[in-house]
Amino acid sequence: MFTVRCILGSSAWRHRIRLQKMMSTRSVAAVCQVTATPDKEANFSACKQLVEDAKEQGASMVFLPEGFDYIGSSREETLSLSESLTGDTISRYTKLARKLEVWLSLGGFHERGHEWETDRRIYNSHIIVNDKGDIVSVYRKSHLFDVELPEKGVSLKESAFTIPGPSLVSPVQTPIGKVGLGICYDLRFPELSLALQRDGAEILTYPSAFTVATGAAHWEVLLRARAIESQCFVVAAAQVGRHHEKRSSYGHALAVDPWGEVLGDCGGENPGMVLVEINLEKVSSTRRNMPVQQHRRDTGFYHSLEKT
């Protein structure tokens, strides 16, 4: 069972969550929703406040969305604001994690590519920082959002300035369980979620900046599908609202359990967070009672249709 709370809790709620944490072996995660702009300093201030509030309310891991560092208004601005993993932005977050003794999922950082000086391209990088301030995993987004939906007013070509990541990364052991990493458009590829599940993931995370049109149509149903097919918890931090004159995001940061039940939704209007208390026994019992993975046929079986 999850306990959830959107936006910022009262003092009574804070007292209650502390008591629950002391009385339970379950772990609390905070799934955040922000409105990033091209102003990196303002973005850091807003995210820092959410992290501090989450820690105060008992969270041991905080999830921030894709583009938590900034969302640029043009290709040129996006590239000019990018940094390396050793730059000021990530250094500030590692110090924050160490100070608060909290784990961070930094869900989509504009990381300068290894050949930045010659090609001026970046990675979209999901960074996990532990409570000592160490970077313990970096996943670079492998599926890039190159989509033209003229009837929906959507036109984005991420590959124009972003390098696709070379591989998946193994799930990360965290205080809330083993977390498998994706980013936004990766959500549409079930092969990724199943690969992470086979490698031990108990929780999948898809930090995102979904467009309003695609979010309204597909966001919740895709997150629930990934949870159901993998029998994992799914947490999805999200961007929300208007970033600048050219772009807005859908919001609705969600937490979903292994049965596909939505356990928390931050809505589509304001920044905030949902606190979720995760009991990994829910993963075990769901997989035990419906042993989908044991019933799965070998890989060759699913390719046999192509050979006939």
Side-chain angles (χ1 to χ4, degrees):
M1 187 68 181
F2 269 66
T3 306
V4 299
R5 177 77 171 185
C6 271
I7 316 303
L8 303 181
S10 64
S11 59
W13 169 257
R14 293 177 183 134
H15 177 66
R16 178 182 171 193
I17 197 70
R18 288 192 197 102
L19 288 176
Q20 287 179 332
K21 193 177 181 191
M22 286 189 294
M23 295 170 64
S24 173
T25 59
R26 301 168 188 169
S27 300
V28 177
V31 188
C32 296
Q33 182 161 287
V34 303
T35 307
T37 70
D39 186 338
K40 293 166 73 173
E41 190 61 37
N43 298 334
F44 177 75
S45 179
C47 290
K48 178 175 180 284
Q49 186 65 59
L50 283 173
V51 173
E52 290 173 342
D53 290 336
K55 174 64 178 182
E56 183 180 355
Q57 295 181 59
S60 56
M61 188 164 186
V62 183
F63 293 79
L64 293 173
E66 181 182 36
F68 69 93
D69 50 349
Y70 63 89
I71 292 182
S73 60
S74 66
R75 179 182 185 275
E76 293 71 23
E77 184 175 52
T78 297
L79 292 174
S80 68
L81 292 173
S82 66
E83 299 178 26
S84 72
L85 294 180
T86 57
D88 181 63
T89 296
I90 297 303
S91 295
R92 296 175 80 177
Y93 278 100
T94 58
K95 290 175 183 175
L96 181 64
R98 182 167 60 249
K99 176 184 176 182
L100 297 179
E101 298 182 319
V102 66
W103 283 62
L104 299 177
S105 162
L106 305 176
F109 173 69
H110 298 82
E111 179 196 2
R112 292 189 173 182
H114 303 312
E115 305 297 329
W116 170 257
E117 295 303 324
T118 57
D119 72 1
R120 289 296 193 272
R121 285 160 64 78
I122 61 175
Y123 291 108
N124 188 341
S125 300
H126 187 162
I127 303 161
I128 302 296
V129 180
N130 69 16
D131 56 358
K132 297 179 177 61
D134 303 318
I135 295 176
V136 296
S137 186
V138 180
Y139 163 68
R140 295 174 174 95
K141 186 177 181 182
S142 50
H143 301 98
L144 302 183
F145 191 74
D146 287 2
V147 175
E148 296 285 342
L149 302 172
E151 72 282 5
K152 302 290 186 181
V154 175
S155 177
L156 288 168
K157 190 174 179 63
E158 191 174 15
S159 67
F161 53 87
T162 305
I163 308 164
S167 64
L168 304 183
V169 298
S170 293
V172 182
Q173 185 63 62
T174 77
I176 65 170
K178 293 192 76 172
V179 178
L181 308 181
I183 303 173
C184 201
Y185 192 50
D186 288 332
L187 175 59
R188 294 182 181 272
F189 300 87
E191 300 90 341
L192 184 148
S193 65
L194 294 176
L196 293 171
Q197 192 274 347
R198 286 193 298 271
D199 202 37
E202 298 161 311
I203 301 152
L204 300 175
T205 185
Y206 296 98
S208 297
F210 254 57
T211 70
V212 174
T214 58
H218 299 149
W219 173 246
E220 180 179 320
V221 69
L222 284 170
L223 290 168
R224 295 181 67 195
R226 298 297 83 86
I228 292 165
E229 72 198 4
S230 67
Q231 299 176 316
C232 288
F233 287 111
V234 171
V235 295
Q239 292 282 348
V240 67
R242 192 170 182 83
H243 308 293
H244 47 70
E245 61 185 19
K246 299 178 182 177
R247 187 168 174 187
S248 298
S249 289
Y250 178 65
H252 293 277
L254 289 187
V256 184
D257 79 0
W259 189 248
E261 180 182 357
V262 174
L263 299 158
D265 180 343
C266 272
E269 296 182 2
N270 300 310
M273 74 174 86
V274 59
L275 293 177
V276 295
E277 190 175 4
I278 297 176
N279 179 2
L280 294 179
E281 174 55 30
K282 180 71 173 180
V283 176
S284 300
S285 63
T286 301
R287 295 178 182 180
R288 182 173 60 250
N289 295 338
M290 186 179 287
V292 173
Q293 306 311 320
Q294 294 177 35
H295 297 156
R296 192 175 301 280
R297 302 289 290 270
D298 61 81
T299 303
F301 174 81
Y302 297 102
H303 289 288
S304 61
L305 181 64
E306 301 170 9
K307 299 175 182 177
T308 59

